[in-house]
Amino acid sequence: MKRTPPAAGPVVQRLTASGFAIDGAVHRAALLTPDRVLSWSPPPLAELSEEDLAPLLALDPAPEFVLIGAGPRHAFAPPALIAALDARGIGVEAMDSRAAARAWSLLRAEGRWIAAALMPL
């Protein structure tokens, strides 16, 4: 069986009491693109907007979808944000931040061109 190499880019190594251990650094909250990780100071989920996700939306090509890690519990992304990303042809998948971190790793291992916004645990 031929194995495909893992996708390049940031790897969420584990969750800690302080946040997400990604490529040797701990981030309380993070924006993930296929090629980098950025520490992030997000607004409350209900106020999340396109501007807050600007580094993710600047990807070329645009991501297939954005994983929204909503914090310690599942919550829906704001309808205005979903509509704005949909207008750009970008899907939104919201889940709790732990699940989003796991999904990031699985989907990137498949080589998917995605982005993620992980809110604090």
Side-chain angles (χ1 to χ4, degrees), residues 15-50:
L15 304 176
T16 73
S18 302
F20 306 93
I22 303 170
D23 294 343
V26 176
H27 303 268
R28 183 176 161 276
L31 295 176
L32 300 171
T33 73
D35 60 359
R36 65 186 175 147
V37 58
L38 300 166
S39 284
W40 183 43
S41 295
L45 180 63
E47 297 171 20
L48 191 62
S49 70
E50 281 182 279

